[in-house]
């Protein structure tokens, strides 16, 4: 049996039906402050795209540079492509992500993988220890 996710004791369907003012009371203080101070034009455009995708009115990819958007309950089930500084990486929004920022789920740096020494390297740098 699959465990039903609850956010602060409420199921995701209850959160979707809740008014924004009541939802803001459940969020952490940083997210609550950010949302009550107003939504900028860029964030408003993203929210409209998400609502259109929920309604099935659009089938295009949702791409955004906005990493500071707080995930709201009606984002669940949608794939949003978030910019990592180099490329857009897809993020499938799950109920566990509600209240977090989009940027938390896309890393901006990669793990460093060192290769062999290049042309013109000194003789001593040709030695690469085997582990």
């Amino acid at each position: 049996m699959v465990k039903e996710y609850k956010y602060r004791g409420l199921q995701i369907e209850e959160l979707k039906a809740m008014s924004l003012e009541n939802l803001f009371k459940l969020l952490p203080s940083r997210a609550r402050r950010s949302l009550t101070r107003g939504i900028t034009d860029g964030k408003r455009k993203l929210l409209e795209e998400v609502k259109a995708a929920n309604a099935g009115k659009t089938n295009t990819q949702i791409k955004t540079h906005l990493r500071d958007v707080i995930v709201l309950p009606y984002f669940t089930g949608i794939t949003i492509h978030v910019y990592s500084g180099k490329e857009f990486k897809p993020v499938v929004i799950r109920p566990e992500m509600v209240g977090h920022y989009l940027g938390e789920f896309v890393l901006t740096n990669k793990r460093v993988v060192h290769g062999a020494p290049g042309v013109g390297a000194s003789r001593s740098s040709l030695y690469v220890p085997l582990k």
Side-chain angles (χ1 to χ4, degrees):
M1 184 170 166
V2 178
K3 183 180 177 183
E4 183 70 26
Y5 177 76
K6 292 185 178 183
Y7 182 78
R8 311 258 172 140
L10 299 171
Q11 294 182 350
I12 199 71
E13 291 80 21
E14 294 173 310
L15 292 174
K16 287 181 181 180
M18 194 178 283
S19 69
L20 286 179
E21 290 78 24
N22 292 334
L23 177 65
F24 291 170
K25 293 177 184 176
L26 296 176
L27 293 174
S29 62
R30 180 73 245 177
R32 188 170 53 244
R33 175 177 165 79
S34 174
L35 290 169
T36 55
R37 289 176 64 88
I39 298 173
T40 61
D41 291 337
K43 291 179 185 177
R44 184 171 288 118
K45 182 181 177 223
L46 176 66
L47 296 176
E48 289 170 2
E49 289 179 8
V50 168
K51 287 180 182 178
N54 268 339
K57 295 179 182 175
T58 182
N59 55 0
T60 60
Q61 292 180 352
I62 300 174
K63 290 185 174 182
T64 184
H65 284 256
L66 300 172
R67 299 171 55 85
D68 62 340
V69 174
I70 296 165
V71 177
L72 297 173
Y74 60 87
F75 284 26
T76 55
I78 294 177
T79 302
I80 299 176
H81 296 263
V82 182
Y83 194 65
S84 69
K86 182 178 180 182
E87 60 190 355
F88 288 95
K89 295 192 177 179
V91 176
V92 178
I93 306 297
R94 297 187 313 262
E96 296 86 20
M97 298 178 177
V98 172
H100 292 271
Y101 291 96
L102 277 180
E104 293 181 43
F105 306 108
V106 178
L107 297 178
T108 57
N109 52 5
K110 291 183 181 178
R111 184 175 167 267
V112 177
V113 179
H114 297 284
V119 176
S122 66
R123 296 292 297 166
S124 64
S125 63
L126 291 177
Y127 171 73
V128 178
L130 300 173
K131 291 186 178 182

